[in-house]
Amino acid sequence: MTDALYAQDAYLRTAPADLVAVTQAGHLVLRASLFYPTGGGQPGDTGSVEFAGQTVTIADCVKGEAGNIDLVPAPGQNLPAPGASGTQTLDWARRYRLMRMHSALHLLSVVLPFPVTGGAIGAQKSRLDFNMPEAPEDKAEVEAALNALIAADHPVSEGWISEAELDANPGLVKTMSVAPPRGAGKIRLVRIGAADAPVDLQPCGGTHVRRTGEIGAVVLGKIEKKGRQNRRVSITLAG
């Protein structure tokens, strides 16, 4: 099982790379990975791994077998053999935008307190789908409320609860389409705000900023009708 460095510190940009396997699909499996694998609406990280002067460009990152994390090289590259060691480096500019977007979407689910039916995080635009029969009457008011939460510079932290504790508190789960991963015996929670009075608290395995002020101002995009009761709300980063 790959050691998930991104879960220990989302701000790590480089780390040693020890290649333990190359899969039949040509994916690289490292002993420990900075790269976040696609999941929970957040896309996989990109970047590079350098082995003894040979640089392998990483175009994607996905979940592999038996708890491994697979780095997907860009096509047409020569790959090193297992046992090689070197340095892994994230495309930090892209990852950091994804972190800002992910934290912003958690706050959007606070401003619009409806069940979440889907979502997608992107470096340029992100969105949440809500089980919301009618669109908000004042889009500018929603945008202002979201930016006020961001500007309040709330701390963002994580904690863990057991699966039994989650079952006893089903209201923590906001997403109707994606269930928190189970099987490990514990569930990761992402908290925005103070421990005794959080602004938001929900299961999440993704990467986030340390404080909401890092997100910066966001712009609310179109609110689209995607079904009888489904509304899609998009956001972009202002800078």
Side-chain angles (χ1 to χ4, degrees):
M1 180 181 291
T2 308
D3 187 14
L5 298 176
Y6 62 82
Q8 300 168 26
D9 184 355
Y11 286 77
L12 286 175
R13 306 184 190 191
T14 63
D18 297 313
L19 184 63
V20 298
V22 178
T23 71
Q24 289 187 336
H27 299 171
L28 306 184
V29 180
L30 305 181
R31 192 175 310 281
S33 174
L34 285 175
F35 293 74
Y36 176 85
T38 300
Q42 181 173 331
D45 284 325
T46 59
S48 63
V49 187
E50 185 173 347
F51 299 99
Q54 176 190 359
T55 300
V56 179
T57 300
I58 304 302
D60 198 2
C61 181
V62 298
K63 295 176 181 177
E65 298 181 351
N68 284 330
I69 295 170
D70 289 11
L71 308 189
V72 182
Q77 301 182 92
N78 294 322
L79 302 180
S85 60
T87 302
Q88 53 184 309
T89 304
L90 285 180
D91 179 345
W92 173 248
R94 177 177 178 272
R95 156 68 90 75
Y96 190 52
R97 287 186 69 87
L98 293 173
M99 289 165 58
R100 293 164 62 199
M101 283 286 203
H102 200 156
S103 298
L105 288 183
H106 276 222
L107 292 177
L108 181 62
S109 75
V110 175
V111 175
L112 296 174
F114 300 92
V116 176
T117 58
I121 301 159
Q124 305 306 320
K125 183 170 74 170
S126 300
R127 51 95 174 168
L128 284 180
D129 295 347
F130 294 94
N131 184 6
M132 182 169 54
E134 299 295 334
E137 293 184 3
D138 191 338
K139 192 178 80 168
E141 183 179 350
V142 175
E143 182 179 282
L146 178 57
N147 279 308
L149 281 176
I150 291 169
D153 199 27
H154 295 289
V156 182
S157 59
E158 66 177 60
W160 297 85
I161 60 172
S162 68
E163 293 178 3
E165 287 174 307
L166 181 64
D167 291 338
N169 294 276
L172 290 173
V173 181
K174 295 186 175 183
T175 56
M176 299 173 64
S177 58
V178 179
R182 291 174 176 264
K186 59 181 183 178
I187 304 290
R188 179 177 182 253
L189 294 179
V190 170
R191 176 189 295 104
I192 299 179
D196 58 346
V199 173
D200 184 60
L201 181 66
Q202 60 178 292
C204 182
T207 58
H208 290 269
V209 295
R210 293 188 179 120
R211 302 193 67 90
T212 62
E214 295 180 47
I215 299 168
V218 300
V219 177
L220 205 67
K222 293 189 297 183
I223 298 179
E224 304 172 84
K225 187 175 182 178
K226 292 293 181 178
R228 185 168 59 88
Q229 294 196 145
N230 202 55
R231 297 293 182 274
R232 176 166 296 175
V233 183
S234 300
I235 62 169
T236 57
L237 299 175

